[in-house]
Amino acid sequence: MTIVETKDTLGGEPRLEGRRISVMQVAEMYIDGGMSPENVADQLGVGLDEVHEALAHYYKHPDEMNELRRKHRELE
């Protein structure tokens, strides 16, 4: 599994390949929601490896993720 960005899916946000689950969605459940990686995987119906890959991407790209958080807040 890998992280992909395609402009026609989820507005180009990084997501799990083959799924409409964004890196930000996983990160928000884990960081903001206080869920364990196992619970995130269970709730989203994905593998624990996919959750860890999304979180690794989140932490490797802090500037991009902060910009996405800012954009999400503006849409609320």
Side-chain angles (χ1 to χ4, degrees), residues 3-54:
I3 303 298
V4 296
E5 296 178 32
T6 51
K7 65 180 175 180
D8 61 334
T9 305
L10 297 180
E13 288 190 25
R15 63 183 174 83
L16 298 173
E17 183 178 34
R19 302 182 184 274
R20 294 184 57 82
I21 299 171
S22 71
V23 167
M24 186 58 69
Q25 180 180 2
V26 172
E28 287 175 342
M29 292 174 78
Y30 173 70
I31 297 166
D32 302 334
M35 296 176 76
S36 70
E38 293 82 6
N39 285 342
V40 173
D42 185 54
Q43 288 292 311
L44 296 176
V46 299
L48 186 56
D49 60 324
E50 293 174 284
V51 170
H52 285 291
E53 187 166 354

